[in-house]
Amino acid sequence: MRIQAKHSSDVTFCKVLPENIKGRDFIVGDIHGCLDLLLAKLQAVGFDEQKDRLFSVGDLIDRGPQSIECLGLLRKPWFYACLANHEAMMLCYYGAYSSYYHSPQDFIRNGGQWSFEQQGDDLGGNLFDLLELVAQLPVAYHVQGALPFNVCHANIIDYSDEKLKEYDGKKIARASADDIVWSRDVIYATKNPVEAQLGDRVALIDSTEPMRDGLSLTYAGHTPVKKCVLTKSHLHIDMGAYQLVTKGNGDFDLCIVENAATQSAIKAALETI
């Protein structure tokens, strides 16, 4: 079955959101169809759906066993996801996206077989409805407040906070978003990493340029890491959750962090480098 999404010519570049004055902001790495693991993580941190928000770096689908259920999260008012490369491949396959990075069949080759068998989520929504929600996802968020932060899938190294604000709600050609959802240039350029404690996790911090002037802490995924990596303001938090869920490999996990605590830990760590 082919689905034609209505929003096919462009994508929202950035959404600017106000500070969460009622609760906490959490950010989660690539979920990849591991909804049960995510829900267990949220329960463990005492996530309050009435007050807290959860930001996703994208890659909700593929590889894990609950892809369409993860797409169902897009219906939740507390859930904010970025467009990522696996969602882009799905949109391409169903005729709603064009890219020089991949062909339509890459969606199937990279775990999209689930779409042949599941056409609805637990709330009765079908894949067409959910695809429409995916097509409207921004490629980045900028969250204002005392501890501002950004969220994207791969990197937004070419942008500052001020530039992101200028793009609030503005559309760009979908193909122009490819680097933001695909590029690994930032994490691969990490230099002289040193270990530091960030909450209950040990992270690797680029001692040459841990933070980029003008760009607030930016949570990113896309490249699986066994330890979170901070470089050029980007904190990479994809820890390969599907490897834990589908293969029982305990070297991998689903990383979920709380922004205020993470920024405090980074500030303390940078004082020692």
Side-chain angles (χ1 to χ4, degrees):
M1 180 176 67
R2 302 288 290 176
I3 296 174
Q4 297 292 326
K6 299 174 184 175
H7 308 277
S8 60
S9 62
D10 49 28
V11 62
T12 299
F13 181 81
C14 183
K15 285 188 178 180
V16 176
L17 297 177
E19 181 179 11
N20 184 358
I21 60 174
K22 294 182 179 180
R24 301 167 294 172
D25 282 337
F26 292 88
I27 305 91
V28 64
D30 299 30
I31 303 172
H32 275 309
C34 300
L35 181 64
D36 287 346
L37 179 58
L38 171 63
L39 296 179
K41 295 282 186 179
L42 292 178
Q43 183 177 19
V45 299
F47 185 83
D48 186 338
E49 295 182 5
Q50 303 303 314
K51 298 179 180 180
D52 299 332
R53 298 186 294 196
L54 178 63
F55 291 85
S56 163
V57 300
D59 275 2
L60 306 179
I61 58 172
D62 303 340
R63 297 178 175 166
Q66 297 170 293
S67 286
I68 201 161
E69 290 85 353
C70 286
L71 288 180
L73 291 169
L74 297 175
R75 302 179 184 277
K76 304 293 185 181
W78 44 264
F79 187 74
Y80 300 82
C82 294
L83 181 72
N85 62 307
H86 279 259
E87 285 78 44
M89 286 189 287
M90 178 174 66
L91 291 174
C92 182
Y93 179 77
Y94 285 113
Y97 184 86
S98 60
S99 170
Y100 63 85
Y101 269 84
H102 52 79
S103 68
Q105 287 301 318
D106 284 337
F107 171 56
I108 304 304
R109 286 191 286 264
N110 284 275
Q113 298 92 337
W114 60 270
S115 64
F116 299 153
E117 303 170 359
Q118 303 179 45
Q119 299 301 324
D121 66 359
D122 291 341
L123 296 179
N126 61 36
L127 187 55
F128 174 81
D129 296 330
L130 295 169
L131 192 70
E132 286 296 317
L133 296 179
V134 173
Q136 298 175 57
L137 294 178
V139 294
Y141 289 96
H142 173 72
V143 182
Q144 300 177 316
L147 295 171
F149 65 94
N150 307 307
V151 186
C152 68
H153 185 59
N155 77 73
I156 48 173
I157 193 64
D158 294 328
Y159 300 88
S160 64
D161 286 4
E162 291 306 312
K163 183 62 69 173
L164 291 174
K165 293 175 187 177
E166 292 177 12
Y167 276 102
D168 181 27
K170 294 183 178 179
K171 304 284 188 176
I172 61 174
R174 287 191 180 275
S176 299
D178 278 334
D179 283 343
I180 299 171
V181 303
W182 278 97
S183 175
R184 291 186 166 91
D185 290 349
V186 170
I187 190 169
Y188 285 170
T190 302
K191 295 180 180 179
N192 303 316
V194 296
E195 289 191 347
Q197 196 71 35
L198 295 186
D200 61 351
R201 295 185 183 276
V202 175
L204 295 176
I205 296 181
D206 183 333
S207 60
T208 302
E209 190 184 5
M211 299 296 293
R212 171 65 59 94
D213 289 343
L215 184 64
S216 294
L217 181 64
T218 299
Y219 297 93
H222 188 45
T223 302
V225 293
K226 292 186 178 179
K227 295 178 182 177
C228 296
V229 177
L230 176 65
T231 179
K232 301 174 181 62
S233 293
H234 290 72
L235 184 64
H236 298 268
I237 60 172
D238 174 16
M239 301 190 75
Y242 74 94
Q243 297 274 10
L244 173 62
V245 171
T246 64
K247 300 179 182 179
N249 190 333
D251 290 336
F252 297 90
D253 198 3
L254 179 64
C255 181
I256 180 170
V257 297
E258 194 269 323
N259 177 58
T262 300
Q263 296 225 32
S264 177
I266 288 174
K267 180 180 179 181
L270 293 181
E271 290 174 352
T272 67
I273 295 177

